[in-house]
Amino acid sequence: MAVMEITEFPERVLKEVGAAVEEFDEGLEKLVADMFETMYAEEGVGLAAPQVGLSLRLFVMDCAGIKLVAANPEIVSVEGEQEGEEGCLSVGKIHAPLKRAERARLRAQDVKGEWFEREAEGLAARCFLHETDHCDGTLFIDHLSPLRRDMVKRRFQKMKRWR
Ligand SMILES: [Zn+2]
């Protein structure tokens, strides 16, 4: 297993709609293991393939008691609303308040290619939504108001200069 390098905003791959995962083989198993290792090393709760430079519809998560691999994820339904802060490893973990659905139902394939559905609420639902967005080339900052988005971008640019 190996820790991979995190792709950061504004790299192009983060804006691309990922390609479908079609091969459920040893290569995918190794990639998923590396993604988990990278996510834990970075103290994240979710990590999508574009965040390690791969334009693929794939994410891993371990958040609020839900640990899973999701290939070709889709959000099939959402309900309610939650307030809360959100951040992203690709945007230097800078947090901003972002309203999300309180509950979300995810449909995806596991590492063997088996389809499953899973429901989550609160933080785990937020994670489903955030990571599925990554697979579609959307970052959490894309959901913020232009003013708040600029604030996060400026803080991130500043942070990058200092490291
Ligand atoms: Zn993210």
Side-chain angles (χ1 to χ4, degrees):
M1 294 208 294
V3 172
M4 304 168 90
E5 200 182 323
I6 299 288
T7 309
E8 293 184 322
F9 174 83
E11 283 188 56
R12 178 92 208 117
V13 66
L14 294 169
K15 296 296 288 176
E16 289 169 359
V17 176
V21 175
E22 283 168 351
E23 305 283 335
F24 293 87
D25 56 7
E26 272 175 39
L28 184 68
E29 272 175 40
K30 184 182 180 305
L31 172 61
V32 161
D34 287 348
M35 285 172 64
F36 270 116
E37 193 175 339
T38 304
M39 181 185 81
Y40 292 130
E42 298 288 338
E43 295 174 348
V45 293
L47 185 74
Q51 296 184 274
V52 288
L54 302 168
S55 192
L56 267 183
R57 305 197 76 249
L58 173 71
F59 74 77
V60 299
M61 72 177 259
D62 187 350
C63 175
I66 298 186
K67 180 179 176 179
L68 55 78
V69 175
N72 304 320
E74 295 161 38
I75 298 298
V76 290
S77 62
V78 293
E79 213 184 281
E81 194 175 80
Q82 62 171 307
E83 309 270 347
E85 297 255 314
E86 199 160 314
C88 180
L89 295 177
S90 294
V91 195
K93 300 185 191 169
I94 292 164
H95 284 73
L98 177 60
K99 275 186 192 156
R100 291 279 198 182
E102 171 59 21
R103 278 173 295 282
R105 189 170 183 84
L106 174 80
R107 180 172 184 269
Q109 283 167 286
D110 67 15
V111 75
K112 301 283 183 201
E114 292 293 324
W115 285 97
F116 66 91
E117 286 196 14
R118 187 82 193 255
E119 217 168 85
E121 55 179 41
L123 200 59
R126 184 178 286 277
C127 195
F128 279 180
L129 296 163
H130 180 114
E131 301 308 332
T132 301
D133 268 356
H134 270 304
C135 297
D136 295 325
T138 301
L139 294 174
F140 86 102
I141 54 174
D142 296 328
H143 296 300
L144 301 175
S145 69
L147 190 73
R148 185 119 43 201
R149 180 160 57 238
D150 282 348
M151 240 165 62
V152 173
K153 282 183 189 172
R154 272 203 306 276
R155 278 182 61 195
F156 184 49
Q157 297 302 340
K158 208 166 160 184
M159 181 195 242
K160 283 207 281 193
R161 277 202 298 275
W162 284 101
R163 68 180 185 210

